Amino acid sequence: MPIRVLVADDQSLVRTAFRLILDAEPDIEVISEAADGESAVRLARRLRPDVTLMDIRMPKLDGVRATALLAGPDVIDPLKVVVVTTYDVDENVYAALQAGASGFLLKDAGAGWLAEAIRAAARGQAIVSPSVTVRLLRHLPRAADHPADLPLTARELDVALAVARGRTNAEIALDLSISLSTVKSHLASVQEKLEARNRTEIAIWAWRHGLIE
């Protein structure tokens, strides 16, 4: 069954663009659109999409509040919400994630990241836009020297570092000249060994160990 997606954005051109991008994916289907926060909440509660794409700034009800109503800690049967916005500020990131969002993407992240974020959310994982991740990492401490003993194989390390640099699975497959299924296999092994729930935690691990700039 395809991943059923609700697109919530007050700009019709953005909704149309997202629909075109996502409907081109064989495993994703846009089932409805909403032009404001109140409609997004109402449609999401009625249709129960697998993932809702939520803009931050919308009329009637902003995206953070709408996300909290659908995915917040007080919701009995929460839905998966990925916030997609043009507003790259820390307050938006923290507010969205605290409201229960399963991901935070900037609208210029690209079609590949949009699809990846939806798939991750549907699996119960989270993706944060690479540029946002990098800025957040700079606030974390890191090792002065690379660790002598790493728990990953050489190829798993290649995949982990590519993920930490913001590459999608398809881009990693192309960069490393391996199949997409092999990338996914290595990524699953990386997450298991590092006990990382998502790509952001892989990036945090690489940053803390001084493996990426």
Side-chain angles (χ1 to χ4, degrees):
M1 295 291 292
I3 301 170
R4 301 164 62 252
V5 176
L6 167 66
V7 176
D9 196 291
D10 62 337
Q11 298 183 43
S12 60
L13 286 177
V14 173
R15 296 197 305 273
T16 299
F18 283 173
R19 179 181 283 274
L20 289 173
I21 291 170
L22 298 176
D23 281 345
E25 299 291 329
D27 58 337
I28 299 175
E29 175 189 7
V30 176
I31 60 170
S32 189
E33 301 175 12
D36 61 74
E38 286 185 359
S39 298
V41 172
R42 184 175 63 254
L43 284 170
R45 286 173 171 171
R46 177 166 61 87
L47 300 175
R48 305 293 300 178
D50 299 308
V51 179
T52 296
L53 285 183
M54 187 77 71
D55 188 22
I56 287 280
R57 297 192 179 180
M58 290 189 294
K60 298 184 180 180
L61 191 68
D62 69 78
V64 172
R65 180 57 183 154
T67 297
L69 291 173
L70 296 175
D74 297 328
V75 179
I76 296 176
D77 190 12
L79 294 166
K80 306 292 177 55
V81 177
V82 173
V83 170
V84 187
T85 181
T86 56
Y87 300 99
D88 180 13
V89 294
D90 290 343
E91 291 79 4
N92 287 341
V93 179
Y94 295 127
L97 296 179
Q98 288 176 347
S102 297
F104 186 99
L105 286 181
L106 299 181
K107 289 180 180 176
D108 61 359
W113 272 107
L114 186 64
E116 290 273 2
I118 288 172
R119 294 184 182 107
R123 294 193 300 266
Q125 300 175 338
I127 282 184
V128 177
S129 192
S131 61
V132 176
T133 299
V134 169
R135 194 175 67 249
L136 295 178
L137 289 180
R138 290 177 179 148
H139 297 290
L140 299 176
R142 66 188 315 217
D145 300 314
H146 296 181
D149 186 24
L150 293 173
L152 308 179
T153 67
R155 185 54 93 189
E156 289 170 350
L157 181 60
D158 290 338
V159 171
L161 295 183
V163 166
R165 294 185 181 106
R167 307 293 281 172
T168 66
N169 287 356
E171 289 170 337
I172 295 171
L174 183 63
D175 292 344
L176 300 181
S177 299
I178 57 179
S179 69
L180 187 59
S181 61
T182 301
V183 172
K184 292 178 180 179
S185 177
H186 285 316
L187 184 54
S189 180
V190 167
Q191 289 186 245
E192 181 180 356
K193 290 181 178 180
L194 300 183
E195 297 183 350
R197 294 172 298 173
N198 50 58
R199 303 171 89 92
T200 301
E201 291 189 357
I202 293 174
I204 290 172
W205 172 84
W207 173 265
R208 286 189 183 278
H209 288 84
L211 299 173
I212 58 170
E213 297 297 329

